């Protein structure tokens, strides 16, 4: 676990869009998207939960446990377990797509104290028994904020935040983050404000990262790092920053994890 060597990992939140697409295709269930979000009917939701909470989640848990050599222990969960992530419906047109609203950070802290890494599938519980599909980056940012975590690390195929010249910016200051606080939840407005005032371009919605890191900074995490490297690259977080393959976004929030 190259990241664990540099920055201890307390919680892992994953996605699995390509695997969902593959299973839907195999089952001959058509997919459609609106603004980067999957339109999720009941049949699609069943497949999403099966793939994310089952296939993808358990593969990651097994990989972490094997890499940890008995020292690092992981357990698989979804946002439905212990009401880790209760959601409201994002938009009726999207079907069972949820926006995280309530959390159970104390349960995650109890796992942290027991030195267990929770691996969380981005499936949320509804208030009336529904099951909701949640964007992985959105879930990660929301959970990090609920924990007031020290750091949120986003592993992605996007190099990071860029300046006007197209070069990766290795650090975004608290002042820049503070300047977009009034635009919380208004992604396009916030992105344009950062670009105009600070010459910074954020990865847009629909890319592998974007809203999750900014939401985390807006609502409680101390720092977000966009790492432009995949897990199998064996690249540490420190090396990614050094080699200008990532961006660190800072806030003045106090960590409570």
């Amino acid at each position: 676990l190259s990241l664990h060597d540099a920055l201890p990992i307390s919680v892992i939140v994953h996605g699995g869009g390509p695997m969902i697409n593959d299973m839907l295709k195999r089952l001959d269930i058509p997919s459609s998207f609106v603004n980067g979000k999957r339109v999720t009917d009941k049949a699609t939701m069943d497949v999403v939960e099966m793939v994310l909470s089952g296939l993808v989640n358990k593969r990651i848990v097994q990989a972490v446990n094997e890499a940890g050599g008995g020292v690092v222990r992981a357990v698989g969960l979804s946002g439905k377990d212990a009401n880790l992530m209760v959601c409201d419906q994002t938009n009726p047109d999207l079907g069972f797509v949820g926006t995280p609203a309530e959390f159970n950070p104390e349960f995650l802290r109890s796992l942290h104290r027991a030195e267990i890494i929770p691996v969380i599938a981005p499936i949320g519980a509804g208030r009336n028994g529904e099951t909701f599909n949640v964007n992985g980056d959105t879930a990660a940012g929301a959970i990090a904020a609920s924990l007031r975590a020290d750091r949120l690390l986003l592993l992605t195929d996007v190099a990071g935040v860029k300046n006007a010249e197209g070069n990766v910016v290795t650090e975004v200051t608290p002042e820049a983050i503070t300047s977009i606080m009034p635009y919380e939840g208004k992604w396009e407005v916030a992105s344009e404000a950062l670009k105009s005032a600070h010459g910074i371009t954020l990865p847009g919605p629909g890319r592998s990262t974007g809203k999750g890191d900014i939401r985390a900074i807006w609502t409680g995490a101390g720092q977000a790092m966009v790492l432009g490297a995949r897990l199998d690259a064996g690249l540490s977080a420190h090396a990614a920053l050094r080699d200008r393959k990532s961006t660190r976004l800072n806030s003045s929030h106090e960590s409570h994890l």
Side-chain angles (χ1 to χ4, degrees):
L1 293 173
S2 59
L3 282 168
H4 193 275
D5 293 337
L7 297 169
I9 297 173
S10 299
V11 180
I12 295 173
V13 181
H14 65 83
M19 285 69 81
I20 294 170
N21 291 338
D22 180 64
M23 185 60 70
L24 289 171
K25 183 177 180 180
R26 289 165 60 184
L27 296 174
D28 198 26
I29 299 175
S31 294
S32 59
F33 295 82
V34 175
N35 295 326
K37 290 185 172 65
R38 185 186 305 275
V39 177
T40 308
D41 59 15
K42 182 60 169 65
T44 300
M45 187 65 247
D46 288 344
V47 174
V48 169
E49 184 169 23
M50 175 178 67
V51 172
L52 293 183
S53 295
L55 181 64
V56 178
N57 186 271
K58 300 315 174 190
R59 283 183 176 177
I60 295 173
V61 168
Q62 185 175 16
V64 172
N65 286 331
E66 289 177 354
V71 177
V72 176
R73 299 176 298 159
V75 62
L77 302 166
S78 81
K80 294 169 69 173
D81 293 301
N83 281 334
L84 286 176
M85 186 169 62
V86 177
C87 297
D88 295 323
Q89 187 177 40
T90 301
N91 181 338
D93 293 338
L94 295 174
F96 293 96
V97 173
T99 298
E102 297 178 9
F103 309 90
N104 185 359
E106 184 51 39
F107 180 73
L108 296 179
R109 293 191 183 102
S110 70
L111 295 177
H112 178 68
R113 290 191 291 269
E115 299 183 345
I116 296 172
I117 296 176
V119 179
I120 304 174
I123 301 295
R127 301 178 192 276
N128 299 302
E130 311 98 325
T131 298
F132 286 114
N133 180 21
V134 182
N135 174 272
D137 287 348
T138 299
I143 291 170
S146 75
L147 287 165
R148 298 187 69 85
D150 180 56
R151 286 187 178 95
L152 166 66
L153 306 181
L154 287 164
L155 293 173
T156 172
D157 57 356
V158 177
V161 176
K162 296 183 179 182
N163 60 20
E165 289 72 41
N167 299 318
V168 174
V169 178
T170 57
E171 187 164 357
V172 177
T173 65
E175 290 75 20
I177 296 298
T178 300
S179 73
I180 61 171
M181 288 291 188
Y183 310 120
E184 180 178 350
K186 300 177 181 177
W187 173 254
E188 291 77 10
V189 178
S191 182
E192 187 60 35
L194 267 184
K195 184 176 181 180
S196 298
H198 301 277
I200 295 170
T201 301
L202 297 172
R207 296 303 302 271
S208 297
T209 186
K211 294 183 179 180
D213 46 358
I214 297 299
R215 172 170 178 160
I217 292 295
W218 266 330
T219 56
Q223 186 181 93
M225 295 176 67
V226 182
L227 302 179
R230 297 187 182 277
L231 277 172
D232 58 8
L235 185 67
S236 75
H238 289 175
L241 282 171
R242 180 197 64 211
D243 297 338
R244 302 185 69 82
K245 294 180 180 179
S246 71
T247 300
R248 179 167 51 209
L249 296 89
N250 298 303
S251 82
S252 57
H253 293 301
E254 179 183 356
S255 171
H256 292 288
L257 181 59

